[in-house]
């Protein structure tokens, strides 16, 4: 995705990735607003902030998805590892672009570590340019429960949509976020 011919973000997905995500997300000044690690090693990011490799810039996930049996822990689509679920992009439904608007829509299957599809999702990203100093990403997530009843159980993780801010904005390293008010 580009705005005024300059990079804004990329929709990353593939067989070697546990879930699709947007990275990098570049602000109107040309600086990344999401963390680089683990997608890219950047010397300016302190080693101590290179934690949680499953936090990939801007992503969609949940840590306990239960299908059919709500009494036992379900599939973890938040973390990544041998026993976690993955999100496979089944197809790119459509893309669109213009001077102030862009769109990526994808059908995504949520699949257990053993390869069983549990649900499907249509994720739509809408990108807007609002003047020279503002960018907007609007994300719409629509789940389709084709394999049975589904419960998104209570977990400590955030979700469904999550963002890992750039280290420069991280409160641990002295960052501060404010708005115009």
């Amino acid at each position: 995705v580009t705005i005024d011919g300059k990079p804004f973000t990329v929709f990353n997905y593939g067989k070697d990735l546990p879930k699709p995500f947007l990275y990098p997300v570049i602000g109107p000044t040309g600086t990344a607003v999401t963390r680089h690690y683990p997608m890219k090693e950047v010397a300016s990011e302190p080693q101590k902030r290179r934690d949680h490799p499953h936090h990939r810039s801007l992503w969609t996930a949940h840590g306990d998805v239960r299908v059919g049996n709500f009494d036992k822990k379900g599939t973890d689509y938040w973390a990544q590892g041998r026993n976690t679920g993955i999100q496979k992009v089944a197809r790119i439904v459509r893309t669109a672009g213009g001077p102030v608007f862009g769109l990526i829509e994808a059908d995504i299957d949520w699949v257990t570590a053993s390869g069983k599809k549990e649900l499907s999702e249509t994720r739509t990203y809408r990108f807007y340019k609002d003047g020279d100093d503002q960018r907007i990403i609007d994300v719409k997530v629509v789940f389709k429960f084709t394999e049975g009843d589904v419960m998104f159980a209570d977990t400590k993780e955030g979700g469904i949509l999550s963002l890992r801010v750039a280290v420069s904005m991280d409160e641990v390293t002295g960052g501060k976020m404010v708005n115009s008010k």
Side-chain angles (χ1 to χ4, degrees):
V1 177
T2 60
I3 294 179
D4 293 336
K6 297 176 185 161
F8 176 47
T9 193
V10 175
F11 181 53
N12 295 272
Y13 66 95
K15 292 178 184 177
D16 59 331
L17 296 172
K19 56 187 155 272
F21 56 93
L22 296 180
Y23 171 81
V25 178
I26 307 295
T29 64
T31 303
V33 297
T34 59
R35 182 177 75 166
H36 293 294
Y37 177 83
M39 291 73 61
K40 180 180 176 183
E41 292 288 334
V42 175
S44 62
E45 286 189 351
Q47 188 67 34
K48 66 182 178 183
R49 299 311 296 151
R50 295 180 189 179
D51 58 354
H52 300 86
H54 51 285
H55 291 184
R56 295 179 178 255
S57 192
L58 179 65
W59 74 101
T60 299
H62 193 77
D64 186 355
V65 178
R66 301 176 187 186
V67 180
N69 183 352
F70 298 155
D71 295 328
K72 67 176 194 160
K73 183 163 174 39
T75 305
D76 184 351
Y77 290 96
W78 180 267
Q80 64 188 57
R82 283 185 315 171
N83 296 317
T84 58
I86 60 171
Q87 298 172 18
K88 295 182 178 181
V89 172
R91 72 184 180 111
I92 301 296
V93 176
R94 63 187 169 130
T95 61
V100 295
F101 169 80
L103 177 136
I104 298 171
E105 184 175 320
D107 285 339
I108 302 166
D109 293 331
W110 292 42
V111 181
T112 66
S114 64
K116 181 182 178 206
K117 177 181 165 185
E118 293 194 304
L119 59 102
S120 62
E121 167 200 355
T122 299
R123 189 177 310 164
T124 306
Y125 296 102
R126 288 182 172 84
F127 308 96
Y128 301 94
K129 174 188 174 188
D130 187 15
D132 290 332
D133 63 348
Q134 188 169 337
R135 309 289 182 257
I136 299 168
I137 301 174
D138 181 31
V139 184
K140 179 180 180 181
V141 176
V142 176
F143 292 109
K144 298 170 194 122
F145 305 127
T146 58
E147 310 305 310
D149 292 336
V150 175
M151 179 172 82
F152 291 88
D154 191 25
T155 67
K156 67 178 179 58
E157 289 88 13
I160 287 292
L161 183 66
S162 298
L163 174 81
R164 183 69 184 247
V165 298
V167 171
S168 62
M169 296 190 297
D170 188 326
E171 67 183 29
V172 173
T173 57
K176 185 176 182 181
M177 290 183 273
V178 298
N179 65 22
S180 63
K181 298 190 190 276

